[in-house]
Amino acid sequence: ERVSAQVITTLHTIISSVYDCAGTNAARLNRALTLCRILVLGPVNTLHNWKNELQRWLPEGGRLRNNRRIEVYLVDEAEKTLKGRVDRLRRWYETGGVLCMGYEMYRNMTATTRIKDEKSLQDLKRFLRNPGPGIVVADEGHLLRNHKSNITQSLATVKSRRRAGLTGSPPQ
């Protein structure tokens, strides 16, 4: 199933508008960066499609004014080490863009009992929870209906108030 062009257009419009309003003011750019961190979560089998569609449909390949670019990141099982995953998250966190990640990967990376390296754990909390992403998009959002599931509880700790759930199933 194809990723919605409307979602991609909306994300592009938000990012480009935020950076246009910020201009060159450092404080405004820092605030803009927070909003320009977009986390797309979904089933693992949809992630490469998200990345491909974002790269295909972002206007001008994601190029913005002021020599900025909307980068698209993917964190999945192909990145084998925790250090590699943390490094990729750090790049996204520091530069903004769209990060695609599976629900289970998100849950595992935010589970405090699974990660023993304290520095990595603190970084992951900062990157994924507080302050975390500026916008969270949940593909196949109907999978989050069970409020007692581990992934739903894990997502409840994200500080972002800007969230969108996409589903082909009617919510109940």
Side-chain angles (χ1 to χ4, degrees):
E1 187 173 315
R2 297 183 74 83
V3 172
S4 169
Q6 294 147 326
V7 173
I8 294 171
T9 302
T10 301
L11 297 177
H12 176 266
T13 301
I14 290 169
I15 290 174
S16 39
S17 297
V18 166
Y19 278 131
D20 283 351
C21 290
T24 57
N25 180 289
R28 285 185 185 156
L29 282 171
N30 193 37
R31 283 194 303 271
L33 177 59
T34 300
L35 185 57
C36 293
R37 280 187 219 106
I38 298 168
L39 176 62
V40 175
L41 294 170
V44 71
N45 62 337
T46 66
L47 299 179
H48 286 281
N49 188 45
W50 266 98
K51 183 177 181 187
N52 293 338
E53 294 291 309
L54 283 159
Q55 290 173 330
R56 178 179 176 194
W57 291 109
L58 282 172
E60 298 181 30
R63 281 193 249 0
L64 301 169
R65 290 179 226 168
N66 301 330
N67 294 324
R68 294 193 179 280
R69 180 176 170 77
I70 302 171
E71 295 294 336
V72 180
Y73 301 91
L74 177 65
V75 175
D76 64 0
E77 295 298 328
E79 184 66 63
K80 298 289 185 201
T81 67
L82 177 63
K83 181 187 179 324
R85 292 173 183 168
V86 171
D87 287 347
R88 185 162 300 165
L89 285 166
R90 180 175 287 107
R91 281 193 304 276
W92 165 73
Y93 186 82
E94 291 174 353
T95 62
V98 181
L99 174 72
C100 303
M101 179 185 287
Y103 286 125
E104 288 303 313
M105 176 72 71
Y106 180 87
R107 185 181 62 79
N108 290 337
M109 292 186 82
T110 57
T112 57
T113 58
R114 290 183 173 242
I115 298 170
K116 304 302 180 206
D117 177 34
E118 190 59 35
K119 170 77 170 104
S120 293
L121 184 60
Q122 292 308 314
D123 284 345
L124 289 170
K125 284 182 181 178
R126 184 167 45 104
F127 302 156
L128 295 173
R129 287 189 171 169
N130 189 8
I135 300 172
V136 178
V137 177
D139 192 12
E140 302 293 337
H142 58 276
L143 298 173
L144 304 174
R145 286 190 297 208
N146 180 356
H147 297 286
K148 294 180 181 178
S149 75
N150 289 336
I151 185 61
T152 303
Q153 290 180 2
S154 184
L155 280 170
T157 63
V158 176
K159 296 300 178 195
S160 174
R161 295 181 316 204
R162 298 170 199 94
R163 303 169 188 220
L166 309 176
T167 182
S169 303
Q172 296 180 356

